[in-house]
Amino acid sequence: MVLKKIGNIKCNEDLERERKKCSFDPLELTHLIDGSPEKTRERKEREHYFLSDPELRDTIPQDYLSHKEKYEQAVRKACTLFRKVTQLRDKGGDLEIFRQTLSGMLGSAILKDGNPFTVHYVMFLPTIVGQGTVEQQAEWMEKAWNCDIIGTYAQTELGHGTFVRGLETTAHYDPKTKEFILNSPTLTSYKWWPGALGHTANYAIVVAQLYTQGVHRGIHLFIVQLRNEETHEPLPGIKIGEIGTKLGMQTMNNGFLALDNVRIPREQMLMKNASVLDDGSYVKSPNEKLAYGTLMFVRVVMLKNATSDLAKACTIAIRYSAVRRQSEIKPGDQEAQILDYRTQQYKLFPYLAASFAMRCAARWLWNMYQDVVSELAGGDLDRLPELHALSCCLKALCTAESAQGVEVCRLSCGGHGYMTCSNLPTLYGQATAACTYEGENTVLLLQTARYLMKAWQQAVQGKVVPPTVAYLKHAVSAGDSPHHWENSFISAFQQMAAGKIKNCADSMGMRIREGCTPEDAWNMTSIELVQCAEAHARVFLVQTFVSAVGELNASVAMKTVMTQLSDLYAIYTLLQNAGDFLMYTHVTPLDISILQNQMNMLLSQLRPNAVGIVDGFDFRDEILSSTLGAWDGQVYERLFEAASMSPLNKDLVNESFHKYLKPFLKSNL
Amino acid sequence: MVLKKIGNIKCNEDLERERKKCSFDPLELTHLIDGSPEKTRERKEREHYFLSDPELRDTIPQDYLSHKEKYEQAVRKACTLFRKVTQLRDKGGDLEIFRQTLSGMLGSAILKDGNPFTVHYVMFLPTIVGQGTVEQQAEWMEKAWNCDIIGTYAQTELGHGTFVRGLETTAHYDPKTKEFILNSPTLTSYKWWPGALGHTANYAIVVAQLYTQGVHRGIHLFIVQLRNEETHEPLPGIKIGEIGTKLGMQTMNNGFLALDNVRIPREQMLMKNASVLDDGSYVKSPNEKLAYGTLMFVRVVMLKNATSDLAKACTIAIRYSAVRRQSEIKPGDQEAQILDYRTQQYKLFPYLAASFAMRCAARWLWNMYQDVVSELAGGDLDRLPELHALSCCLKALCTAESAQGVEVCRLSCGGHGYMTCSNLPTLYGQATAACTYEGENTVLLLQTARYLMKAWQQAVQGKVVPPTVAYLKHAVSAGDSPHHWENSFISAFQQMAAGKIKNCADSMGMRIREGCTPEDAWNMTSIELVQCAEAHARVFLVQTFVSAVGELNASVAMKTVMTQLSDLYAIYTLLQNAGDFLMYTHVTPLDISILQNQMNMLLSQLRPNAVGIVDGFDFRDEILSSTLGAWDGQVYERLFEAASMSPLNKDLVNESFHKYLKPFLKSNL
């Protein structure tokens, strides 16, 4: 984020005209999104507190720096940022501020390519809380909370990601010294990827295979000091560094770690659940599932981030499309705003609608998560599988669609969307990373599919099924009834998902009857299984969006727009998957044609309000950080100003002319 | 490209096993792709000549450098590269070498993020040849050919891309001095984007609105000197610089240019077609269409590049998937090669097949292009519109699918695909750029759609239509015949495309009858029109692929594999667009289920040959430039080695610890 020097220039006229013709009050939308006018005010205050601080700005845009300089600048800003966060916290600010400044929008406005301290707060601290004994919490939380130490969470290895049981790092207990001895026995066992591990953290929670009394006890967590607290030198036996440049998140300082006979005291294994006694006896965890809570929390947060990444990209692309004029719709007319082209509306508005659908789903999931967590505390694990299944497919579908949407937005801005200063490439780098981390999307979808297959069997057997899969029971009992879907999108989506789930269960069954093992049948059916999980997530997204709009407490004008968005989302999604609806529901080819026309109509209806809707998100310019998306729409001035900041433009003649180019041109080849 | 220090290590065992079980000889495929064993030998010689030269390697991987350093390194390498190219040329090497080393695979192996000299050869030189008079060619070609000067092609402006008639740069003829006076009257008229314009080129062909004798004469081309040949200082009236960092192509040195009363002699307007006489009289071009040749040439070349980008990404992802082991298919088994997961095969093999489909289409289009060019020389313009329509939709569909495919390959490599050293992010940056430049994809598809609407009318009226749209006549005459598609993919694709084209023509007609102007009807139907053009491109891709495989002169083993690939391509594409086939053809829901099973079978059949197929592409390691895709499959060793090159890893403790981190940690917040 670079201080914009463009001062006091007026808004672009096209954008002003868009704002005047908006049929609803964008401020009403802002309040709806924040929750209340009071919450909007608080958010804006918080944004002002951070974003107006010149110390949190870059002097040179980071894209021009070397990899090393980028990291150094990030550490400087991260330190400043956390001094400010702590001051706020100590004044009694709420804890949402941590999420916002670390993994949320504020954080990515300030350190748009990643904050090396994030893992400390998002993984290191919560793991100690979640997995540490009371004594361990007392000892480590204070240090961590006060930033006397800075930690990371080291699980993934060079050769091991998805399959946690496959991790190779070992921790052998030595009862003589009451220590664990940690080792990285192979190159593939090197810890790889943890943020901050490279040069920032001095402590890590290391995930390793525990051995005591000569017996393998499975995966456990250990607090390991990596670097001397005074000198920051790696401790003996610790080989450590960063893993190099990436598509995005350059300043996360992702690192590697090899351990060579590193000894830590017995007290540094996190023992809230399982534990190792002095003599090396091992006491098992009462319930393995208790560890799942944190993972699901992270996925719920990721859903929120996927939503806001997409909303930001839509804001940038829609404002730019209102400002950009290109070609004539009628010969001789003024060049048209590209937002007037139906093809442009078709690229942008469905994703704008999707960002609202995701927002509703994220809110619903967040509430369910909080319910389940309090049930867990009371020892009730009943809804955990349902929450798990839902959070897996939603994380997968929403991160994938958010990344795809960001990219469509970028491409819809033509060449200028390819410029880093549009912020769209960086947004994409962030959005697409979420498809892989915290559970690779295909792996997660297959987890949901496993749940759906079970739920289908239960439904077929007439058993009770949880609410979010209740539609399967209906599908079982309705059988091949000739009922039309009667224009209820929810029921069409449910029919479609149920049809695909039934079809998968049948294919699996057939393959097993033909002699396949269940595992091979599963693998052979996995393309369709993934599609089932996606279909299930779509049911949920359409359902929560349609319900949320139905229950909306808002002005008629606002409700009208939100209804258009939810209709558009349902119709667009249906048309994108037309084959499935034709195969598994009562939707007919004629319906498809009618829906195509309805979609066209919705695009026309949304057109005049498009800028108003994205204004309603109320993203500060610093949060969008985009030459194309700023409030004032002074796109060309900002592009030129951004170019002027290139260090290459400081000299009229680059020294490579004298060194290389001139000798080449004058060489009489 | 960095010199790999891993010497003489053996191949990864899984990869070796894959190679042993391949059912055909990959060398046969290599010869097929190159054209003959002789051509393979030549290519390998050429690759050795360039890629074994240490002067063309980086000492530090460019990703770690600052933006400025990247540019300087690129200029150094570009000069060395072109000395070598010229030496080869002077020894009688063929001209394909230029394409290869500039915009082809060799070029992107050496300057993987763009070569600032490319535009000189690909645009500046050909434009002088295509648009200059004999005298102009004599004067400028020699200088350009010998690299006494280095040029760029400046058309796009900050506010103008797609719509060439909207360009704002002006050239007023002054008969008193016999000069043109060039001006950039507004900020939006600044030239923006031309490669090499920033700090490299000293000449440019500038596209501007011509005015003579007070009359506006439209768009013309002018040779403008930008910089002093000795000092490289910008000439008076020239404001020039680079436009900043981008998603990719960082070292193309894309620039901006503003002209303030810059005077050039009358002889520097390119006058092969239209011309301006001494007194300012204007002589019109005999035929505007004569300028189209170069544009189409560029699109044909882009098709080739889209193909090889995709083939490279498939090679990287498939080799990595054979080496990477993760999770168990059956409990207790060894972790499986991820290539054994059906979902992984489903991600990769269809794109592998698509790369062959694109290759066949590119070859066919290249032949047609050469025919049409020689017809043009004889004054025959008949097939120009057909070629134009075909090249537009193929460029659009293939660049989009190639970019998408590269990204799917990247994501299929999990976290490691996110590393720059996998080369997948850079490949994507290159592939996705092609969706925008040389004709934005949506704009191009609408051009094809316009041709298809005309062709449909001609077919309906019983007129003769060109061969590539002949299927429309069949659709008109067959009407709603109940014939089944009889498992001919080509005929199913034709039925589908014809159905969509007819449907569009009907929608347009209805909207016009309802009172819309043709222009509004066009815009309102444009979502469907774009889909028509895509469907047309798919017909062509399936058709040329199936035919090419049918005519293949190869071993049975080779033909079997190629038939599997073309079947997979057709079935996958059909299933991806199942809704369209269910709506517009005789394909039934039962057919869809059968095809789904066939696709599963094809994925199984291709599995054992997947590594062999990508080996057949015969990409040198330097061309793949990927830690994940190298021939030896030593993925983890290479990842670790790449990390070791990070300048951040040169010091155990980064200086930011002392400057920022320690004061922060010790501050007792």
Side-chain angles (χ1 to χ4, degrees):
Chain A
M1 184 187 54
V2 166
L3 181 58
K4 294 280 176 270
K5 285 186 210 116
I6 299 170
N8 300 326
I9 35 172
K10 277 177 52 181
C11 265
N12 168 282
E13 285 176 11
D14 281 321
L15 258 192
E16 276 196 337
R17 197 165 35 247
E18 294 292 332
R19 285 173 179 140
K20 277 186 195 135
K21 73 182 173 196
C22 181
S23 73
F24 68 97
D25 180 4
L27 191 59
E28 186 182 356
L29 180 54
T30 306
H31 293 159
L32 278 174
I33 291 173
D34 284 322
S36 70
E38 176 59 17
K39 285 196 173 156
T40 297
R41 198 189 49 72
E42 283 170 17
R43 172 181 55 80
K44 286 173 105 70
E45 243 177 57
R46 201 156 57 216
E47 287 173 1
H48 177 79
Y49 174 70
F50 286 104
L51 300 176
S52 304
D53 186 337
E55 279 198 57
L56 289 177
R57 289 183 186 136
D58 298 342
T59 38
I60 298 173
Q62 86 148 29
D63 305 308
Y64 295 114
L65 303 179
S66 73
H67 183 60
K68 193 159 175 258
E69 291 163 338
K70 284 177 196 172
Y71 169 68
E72 290 161 359
Q73 175 159 286
V75 172
R76 175 183 69 73
K77 285 167 69 179
C79 292
T80 308
L81 176 61
F82 280 94
R83 277 211 189 82
K84 285 182 80 88
V85 173
T86 317
Q87 282 157 11
L88 212 61
R89 181 187 75 189
D90 295 347
K91 281 189 214 148
D94 80 43
L95 283 176
E96 169 67 5
I97 192 91
F98 273 92
R99 196 189 71 74
Q100 277 282 330
T101 43
L102 282 155
S103 65
M105 285 193 302
L106 256 173
S108 62
I110 294 162
L111 281 147
K112 68 177 190 163
D113 236 359
N115 181 339
F117 291 5
T118 300
V119 181
H120 176 70
Y121 288 93
V122 173
M123 297 293 292
F124 186 73
L125 268 164
T127 305
I128 291 174
V129 174
Q131 307 294 316
T133 60
V134 176
E135 298 74 33
Q136 288 174 323
Q137 291 189 32
E139 177 176 359
W140 295 100
M141 277 306 290
E142 198 189 324
K143 289 186 199 173
W145 190 245
N146 290 335
C147 290
D148 297 332
I149 63 174
I150 184 147
T152 180
Y153 180 87
Q155 176 173 307
T156 319
E157 297 174 356
L158 187 48
H160 310 276
T162 292
F163 190 60
V164 180
R165 273 187 291 148
L167 293 176
E168 293 179 79
T169 304
T170 55
H172 285 91
Y173 184 66
D174 178 357
K176 276 176 290 198
T177 59
K178 293 175 189 140
E179 289 171 323
F180 294 102
I181 310 161
L182 282 93
N183 274 294
S184 307
T186 59
L187 177 60
T188 46
S189 77
Y190 280 29
K191 293 295 173 188
W192 201 268
W193 274 112
L197 178 58
H199 298 82
T200 315
N202 51 15
Y203 281 80
I205 288 166
V206 172
V207 183
Q209 302 284 2
L210 170 65
Y211 292 82
T212 70
Q213 301 177 323
V215 181
H216 176 215
R217 312 288 188 177
I219 287 298
H220 291 76
L221 277 54
F222 304 85
I223 301 180
V224 178
Q225 182 175 356
L226 305 173
R227 293 173 177 270
N228 178 299
E229 288 185 30
E230 292 302 316
T231 64
H232 215 54
E233 300 268 352
L235 296 187
I238 302 270
K239 185 158 87 176
I240 201 166
E242 70 114 19
I243 61 171
T245 53
K246 291 147 292 172
L247 191 157
M249 313 289 270
Q250 300 296 0
T251 52
M252 282 299 281
N253 193 224
N254 303 87
F256 67 83
L257 166 68
L259 300 149
D260 180 15
N261 285 312
V262 172
R263 286 177 169 264
I264 58 168
R266 188 187 66 87
E267 293 74 22
Q268 282 175 220
M269 174 174 133
L270 291 176
M271 300 208 202
K272 181 173 179 178
N273 301 314
S275 54
V276 172
L277 306 184
D278 269 359
D279 66 347
S281 330
Y282 178 74
V283 186
K284 266 179 89 171
S285 167
N287 194 326
E288 302 277 340
K289 287 189 181 161
L290 287 172
Y292 283 5
T294 330
L295 251 179
M296 272 182 274
F297 168 74
V298 175
R299 283 184 200 140
V300 177
V301 169
M302 287 177 76
L303 210 58
K304 286 192 185 189
N305 290 342
T307 304
S308 60
D309 286 344
L310 185 54
K312 282 191 261 183
C314 287
T315 304
I316 295 167
I318 287 174
R319 285 186 182 157
Y320 176 69
S321 299
V323 171
R324 178 73 168 183
R325 288 180 168 276
Q326 203 73 184
S327 301
E328 304 158 338
I329 290 180
K330 284 177 206 168
D333 275 7
Q334 188 190 3
E335 289 191 64
Q337 290 168 283
I338 58 175
L339 199 56
D340 281 335
Y341 291 99
R342 179 54 47 89
T343 46
Q344 188 78 351
Q345 297 162 7
Y346 181 62
K347 287 174 190 173
L348 301 177
F349 298 170
Y351 281 109
L352 179 62
S355 83
F356 283 96
M358 290 181 196
R359 193 180 293 275
C360 296
R363 195 166 291 180
W364 199 100
L365 197 67
W366 177 246
N367 292 337
M368 181 176 180
Y369 168 75
Q370 292 194 307
D371 290 351
V372 171
V373 164
S374 53
E375 289 162 20
L376 274 181
D380 175 3
L381 302 169
D382 278 5
R383 290 171 73 195
L384 204 56
E386 189 187 6
L387 174 64
H388 176 71
L390 208 53
S391 73
C392 285
C393 68
L394 284 174
K395 182 275 186 185
L397 193 75
C398 295
T399 54
E401 296 209 334
S402 165
Q404 218 171 67
V406 170
E407 200 55 356
V408 169
C409 287
R410 183 184 67 72
L411 285 160
S412 81
C413 296
H416 295 335
Y418 197 71
M419 301 292 308
T420 318
C421 65
S422 73
N423 201 25
L424 291 165
T426 308
L427 264 177
Y428 181 66
Q430 195 171 302
T432 190
C435 297
T436 305
Y437 65 70
E438 300 302 335
E440 195 277 332
N441 280 354
T442 305
V443 173
L444 291 185
L445 289 167
L446 285 171
Q447 293 194 16
T448 301
R450 204 170 282 279
Y451 177 83
L452 293 172
M453 288 298 105
K454 271 189 211 153
W456 177 254
Q457 294 312 335
Q458 288 170 343
V460 168
Q461 291 159 11
K463 292 184 190 158
V464 179
V465 296
T468 54
V469 285
Y471 66 89
L472 295 179
K473 274 198 90 78
H474 186 74
V476 169
S477 59
D480 284 319
S481 81
H483 289 313
H484 192 258
W485 60 290
E486 283 163 1
N487 287 334
S488 154
F489 293 123
I490 296 176
S491 96
F493 275 81
Q494 289 176 340
Q495 274 182 29
M496 185 273 281
K500 288 183 82 80
I501 290 166
K502 175 184 184 312
N503 194 44
C504 252
D506 292 349
S507 296
M508 285 270 294
M510 205 174 63
R511 289 188 165 118
I512 291 171
R513 279 193 304 280
E514 283 169 357
C516 281
T517 64
E519 292 84 3
D520 284 335
W522 178 265
N523 190 23
M524 287 163 77
T525 316
S526 56
I527 299 170
E528 295 91 331
L529 285 164
V530 163
Q531 291 170 354
C532 283
E534 287 172 342
H536 177 63
R538 288 197 177 103
V539 170
F540 186 80
L541 282 157
V542 169
Q543 197 169 309
T544 46
F545 195 8
V546 169
S547 315
V549 171
E551 292 159 12
L552 199 63
N553 184 9
S555 69
V556 175
M558 187 76 260
K559 280 198 89 151
T560 305
V561 172
M562 293 309 295
T563 308
Q564 288 162 355
L565 285 168
S566 69
D567 284 352
L568 176 64
Y569 180 72
I571 294 176
Y572 177 84
T573 308
L574 193 154
L575 291 175
Q576 288 288 304
N577 299 278
D580 287 333
F581 284 87
L582 290 170
M583 285 186 65
Y584 297 111
T585 75
H586 299 293
V587 170
T588 65
L590 181 63
D591 291 330
I592 298 284
S593 297
I594 292 169
L595 289 170
Q596 181 84 34
N597 285 335
Q598 279 186 25
M599 184 179 71
N600 267 300
M601 206 148 48
L602 287 165
L603 295 175
S604 295
Q605 287 165 350
L606 284 163
R607 165 66 187 86
N609 284 322
V611 169
I613 297 169
V614 300
D615 283 354
F617 291 137
D618 195 30
F619 291 123
R620 269 178 75 121
D621 279 353
E622 292 93 338
I623 285 175
L624 294 175
S625 190
S626 170
T627 48
L628 307 185
W631 169 263
D632 63 20
Q634 298 294 356
V635 166
Y636 301 116
E637 289 76 2
R638 286 179 186 275
L639 279 167
F640 185 71
E641 191 200 38
S644 313
M645 288 183 194
S646 167
L648 264 172
N649 289 333
K650 296 284 168 275
D651 306 308
L652 288 175
V653 178
N654 180 273
E655 59 177 326
S656 65
F657 172 74
H658 301 289
K659 264 170 103 171
Y660 311 119
L661 196 55
K662 192 172 182 182
F664 171 71
L665 295 174
K666 299 290 171 189
S667 64
N668 291 315
L669 296 168
Chain B
M1 184 189 49
V2 166
L3 181 58
K4 295 279 176 270
K5 286 184 210 118
I6 299 172
N8 299 325
I9 35 173
K10 278 177 52 181
C11 266
N12 168 282
E13 286 175 12
D14 282 321
L15 259 191
E16 276 196 336
R17 196 164 37 246
E18 295 292 333
R19 285 174 180 139
K20 276 184 196 139
K21 72 183 174 197
C22 181
S23 73
F24 68 98
D25 180 3
L27 190 61
E28 184 181 359
L29 180 54
T30 307
H31 293 159
L32 278 174
I33 290 173
D34 283 323
S36 69
E38 175 60 15
K39 286 198 174 156
T40 298
R41 200 191 48 72
E42 283 170 18
R43 173 180 55 78
K44 285 172 104 69
E45 242 177 57
R46 200 155 58 215
E47 286 173 0
H48 177 78
Y49 174 70
F50 287 104
L51 299 177
S52 305
D53 187 337
E55 279 198 57
L56 289 177
R57 291 183 185 137
D58 299 341
T59 38
I60 298 175
Q62 85 149 31
D63 305 309
Y64 295 114
L65 304 179
S66 72
H67 183 60
K68 192 160 176 255
E69 291 164 339
K70 284 177 195 172
Y71 170 67
E72 289 162 359
Q73 175 160 286
V75 173
R76 175 183 69 74
K77 285 166 70 179
C79 291
T80 307
L81 177 61
F82 281 93
R83 277 211 188 82
K84 285 182 80 89
V85 173
T86 317
Q87 282 158 10
L88 212 61
R89 181 187 76 191
D90 294 349
K91 282 187 214 148
D94 80 42
L95 283 177
E96 169 67 2
I97 192 86
F98 273 93
R99 196 189 71 74
Q100 276 284 328
T101 43
L102 283 155
S103 64
M105 284 194 302
L106 257 173
S108 60
I110 294 161
L111 282 146
K112 68 175 189 164
D113 235 0
N115 181 339
F117 291 4
T118 300
V119 181
H120 176 72
Y121 288 92
V122 174
M123 297 293 293
F124 186 73
L125 268 163
T127 305
I128 291 173
V129 174
Q131 307 294 317
T133 61
V134 177
E135 298 75 33
Q136 288 175 323
Q137 291 188 32
E139 178 177 358
W140 294 100
M141 278 304 291
E142 199 188 322
K143 290 186 199 174
W145 190 244
N146 289 335
C147 292
D148 297 332
I149 62 174
I150 184 144
T152 180
Y153 180 86
Q155 178 174 307
T156 318
E157 296 173 357
L158 186 49
H160 310 277
T162 292
F163 190 61
V164 180
R165 274 187 291 145
L167 293 176
E168 293 180 79
T169 305
T170 56
H172 284 93
Y173 184 66
D174 177 358
K176 278 177 289 197
T177 60
K178 294 178 187 134
E179 288 170 324
F180 294 103
I181 311 163
L182 282 93
N183 274 295
S184 308
T186 58
L187 176 61
T188 46
S189 78
Y190 280 29
K191 294 295 175 190
W192 200 269
W193 275 111
L197 177 58
H199 297 84
T200 316
N202 51 15
Y203 281 79
I205 289 167
V206 172
V207 183
Q209 302 284 2
L210 171 65
Y211 293 81
T212 70
Q213 301 176 324
V215 181
H216 176 214
R217 312 288 188 178
I219 287 299
H220 291 77
L221 275 54
F222 304 85
I223 301 180
V224 179
Q225 184 175 355
L226 305 174
R227 291 173 178 270
N228 178 298
E229 288 184 30
E230 292 302 317
T231 65
H232 214 54
E233 301 268 353
L235 296 187
I238 303 268
K239 184 159 86 177
I240 202 166
E242 68 116 20
I243 61 171
T245 54
K246 292 147 290 172
L247 191 155
M249 314 288 270
Q250 300 297 359
T251 52
M252 282 299 282
N253 194 224
N254 303 86
F256 68 82
L257 166 67
L259 300 149
D260 179 17
N261 285 311
V262 172
R263 287 177 168 266
I264 58 168
R266 188 188 66 89
E267 294 74 20
Q268 286 176 218
M269 173 173 133
L270 291 176
M271 300 207 202
K272 180 171 179 180
N273 301 313
S275 54
V276 172
L277 306 184
D278 268 0
D279 66 348
S281 330
Y282 178 74
V283 186
K284 266 178 88 168
S285 166
N287 192 327
E288 303 277 341
K289 286 189 183 160
L290 287 173
Y292 282 6
T294 330
L295 250 180
M296 270 181 275
F297 168 73
V298 175
R299 282 183 202 142
V300 178
V301 169
M302 287 177 76
L303 211 57
K304 287 192 187 188
N305 290 342
T307 304
S308 59
D309 286 344
L310 185 55
K312 281 190 261 182
C314 288
T315 305
I316 295 167
I318 286 174
R319 286 186 181 158
Y320 176 69
S321 300
V323 171
R324 177 75 168 182
R325 288 181 170 273
Q326 202 74 182
S327 300
E328 304 158 339
I329 289 180
K330 282 176 209 170
D333 275 8
Q334 188 189 5
E335 289 191 64
Q337 290 169 283
I338 60 174
L339 199 56
D340 282 334
Y341 291 99
R342 179 55 44 91
T343 47
Q344 189 78 349
Q345 298 162 6
Y346 180 63
K347 286 176 191 173
L348 301 178
F349 298 170
Y351 282 108
L352 179 63
S355 83
F356 283 96
M358 290 182 194
R359 193 179 293 274
C360 296
R363 194 166 291 180
W364 200 100
L365 196 68
W366 178 246
N367 293 337
M368 182 177 180
Y369 168 75
Q370 292 193 308
D371 291 351
V372 171
V373 164
S374 55
E375 289 162 20
L376 272 181
D380 175 2
L381 301 169
D382 278 3
R383 290 171 73 197
L384 204 56
E386 189 188 7
L387 175 63
H388 175 72
L390 208 53
S391 72
C392 285
C393 67
L394 284 174
K395 182 273 186 187
L397 194 74
C398 294
T399 55
E401 296 208 336
S402 165
Q404 219 170 66
V406 170
E407 198 57 354
V408 169
C409 288
R410 182 183 67 71
L411 283 161
S412 81
C413 296
H416 297 335
Y418 197 72
M419 300 292 309
T420 319
C421 65
S422 73
N423 202 24
L424 292 165
T426 308
L427 265 177
Y428 181 66
Q430 195 170 303
T432 189
C435 297
T436 305
Y437 65 70
E438 299 304 333
E440 194 278 331
N441 280 354
T442 305
V443 172
L444 291 184
L445 289 167
L446 286 170
Q447 293 192 17
T448 301
R450 204 170 281 282
Y451 176 83
L452 293 173
M453 289 297 106
K454 272 188 209 152
W456 177 254
Q457 294 311 334
Q458 288 169 343
V460 169
Q461 291 159 12
K463 292 184 190 159
V464 178
V465 294
T468 53
V469 285
Y471 66 89
L472 295 180
K473 276 197 90 78
H474 186 75
V476 168
S477 60
D480 285 317
S481 82
H483 290 313
H484 192 258
W485 61 290
E486 283 161 1
N487 287 336
S488 153
F489 293 123
I490 297 175
S491 97
F493 275 82
Q494 289 176 339
Q495 274 182 28
M496 185 273 283
K500 288 183 80 82
I501 290 166
K502 176 185 184 309
N503 194 43
C504 252
D506 291 349
S507 296
M508 286 269 294
M510 204 175 63
R511 289 189 164 116
I512 291 170
R513 279 195 303 281
E514 282 170 355
C516 282
T517 63
E519 293 85 3
D520 284 335
W522 179 265
N523 190 23
M524 286 162 76
T525 316
S526 55
I527 298 170
E528 294 91 331
L529 284 163
V530 163
Q531 291 170 353
C532 283
E534 287 172 343
H536 178 63
R538 289 199 177 102
V539 171
F540 185 80
L541 281 157
V542 169
Q543 199 170 306
T544 47
F545 194 9
V546 170
S547 315
V549 171
E551 293 159 12
L552 200 64
N553 184 9
S555 69
V556 175
M558 186 79 259
K559 281 197 89 151
T560 304
V561 172
M562 294 308 294
T563 308
Q564 288 163 354
L565 285 168
S566 69
D567 283 352
L568 177 63
Y569 180 72
I571 294 176
Y572 177 84
T573 310
L574 192 155
L575 291 175
Q576 288 289 304
N577 300 278
D580 287 333
F581 285 87
L582 290 170
M583 285 186 67
Y584 297 112
T585 75
H586 299 293
V587 170
T588 64
L590 181 63
D591 292 330
I592 298 284
S593 297
I594 293 169
L595 289 170
Q596 180 84 34
N597 285 334
Q598 280 187 23
M599 183 177 73
N600 267 300
M601 207 147 48
L602 287 165
L603 295 175
S604 294
Q605 288 165 349
L606 284 163
R607 165 66 188 87
N609 283 322
V611 168
I613 297 169
V614 300
D615 282 354
F617 290 137
D618 195 30
F619 291 122
R620 267 177 77 120
D621 279 353
E622 293 92 338
I623 285 176
L624 294 175
S625 190
S626 171
T627 48
L628 307 185
W631 169 263
D632 63 21
Q634 298 294 356
V635 166
Y636 301 117
E637 289 75 3
R638 287 181 185 274
L639 279 167
F640 185 71
E641 192 200 38
S644 313
M645 288 183 191
S646 167
L648 264 173
N649 289 334
K650 296 284 169 275
D651 306 307
L652 288 176
V653 179
N654 179 273
E655 60 178 323
S656 65
F657 172 74
H658 302 290
K659 262 170 104 171
Y660 311 119
L661 195 56
K662 191 172 181 183
F664 171 70
L665 295 175
K666 300 289 172 187
S667 64
N668 292 315
L669 294 169

